[in-house]
Amino acid sequence: MRSTGPAVLALGLVLAGPARAAPEAGEAEEEARAWFTDTVLVTQDGRPVRFYTDVLRDKVVVIDFIFTRCAGACPLLTQKLNALRRELGPLFGEKVRFVSISIDPEFDTPQELVHFAKKHGAVHPEWIFLTGKKADVKGVVSRLGQWTEDPGEHSTLFIAGNALARHWTKIRLDAGAEAFALKVRALVGGGGLLPVAAPSARP
């Protein structure tokens, strides 16, 4: 199981560039859409959504990577997000959305995701679970630097970001809920950390 990935958040460098002036809002949005793609994935409700336009664009997002047969880290990741939800209060839902992406899409149907969400207390309109065709999920997760062919080796990082502001950061599973919430609140305010590429590391 990985705590960091081989290209974690290099996407921020692609969007921002080391010496570019800040683009106009329309240009920034087009760059973000081009990078993240509008690949169509499927929610736990069976609803098709475009990844950038429908999932990332209008909220600060906290993304994690799970699979429903996981008995180790995935319940812990979900518990951490529930602790963050309590810490954020009304910001969650109003300004912040959670996005849990299955890295076992061939098994994780919408029905399996619904069962997982109910089992772990992760039912909320702004907590979106995503699955889809393996090639589509792989394309999206690879953009985030977190794809692995072996679900058991999936990342335990959270990726939090404000796509329009082009601010992204990564948060470890062992981060405290209060510190986690501080980073997310900074992203809501348009601030945050521009990411740097992280080296691959395995515990």
Side-chain angles (χ1 to χ4, degrees):
M1 191 161 296
R2 298 183 292 132
S3 59
T4 58
V8 175
L9 295 184
L11 58 95
L13 299 179
V14 173
L15 290 178
R20 292 181 55 192
E24 297 295 326
E27 181 186 349
E29 181 166 349
E30 287 307 310
E31 286 183 348
R33 182 180 289 106
W35 174 258
F36 293 105
T37 79
D38 256 344
T39 300
V40 175
L41 300 179
V42 180
T43 72
Q44 71 269 41
D45 302 315
R47 178 170 56 94
V49 289
R50 297 165 294 177
F51 186 63
Y52 174 76
T53 300
D54 299 327
V55 177
L56 301 186
R57 181 176 63 177
D58 61 344
K59 295 280 175 74
V60 166
V61 294
V62 181
I63 303 170
D64 71 337
F65 308 91
I66 58 97
F67 65 108
T68 62
R69 292 183 285 186
C70 173
C74 300
L76 294 176
L77 289 163
T78 308
Q79 288 174 22
K80 181 68 71 173
L81 288 179
N82 269 319
L84 174 63
R85 176 164 60 160
R86 291 189 293 270
E87 193 72 28
L88 289 173
L91 272 182
F92 177 71
E94 292 178 6
K95 301 287 185 180
V96 179
R97 168 181 294 149
F98 295 165
V99 182
S100 295
I101 305 177
S102 170
I103 41 72
D104 187 17
E106 292 176 309
F107 179 85
D108 285 342
T109 62
Q111 292 80 8
E112 291 291 341
L113 294 177
V114 166
H115 177 72
F116 180 90
K118 288 180 178 178
K119 180 178 179 180
H120 296 289
V123 178
H124 188 281
E126 291 298 334
W127 193 331
I128 299 173
F129 287 77
L130 293 175
T131 187
K133 296 178 181 177
K134 181 178 178 180
D136 293 338
V137 174
K138 180 178 180 178
V140 166
V141 175
S142 294
R143 284 291 189 177
L144 300 169
Q146 303 299 296
W147 179 255
T148 174
E149 290 293 337
D150 179 359
E153 291 294 316
H154 73 94
S155 171
T156 58
L157 280 174
F158 298 97
I159 296 176
N162 181 329
L164 283 179
R166 306 191 310 163
H167 291 145
W168 293 87
T169 189
K170 57 187 179 181
I171 297 141
R172 291 168 51 96
L173 176 58
D174 59 3
E178 184 176 352
F180 199 161
L182 284 173
K183 289 190 176 184
V184 174
R185 288 191 186 101
L187 290 165
V188 170
L193 302 174
L194 283 175
V196 297
S200 177
R202 292 177 182 268

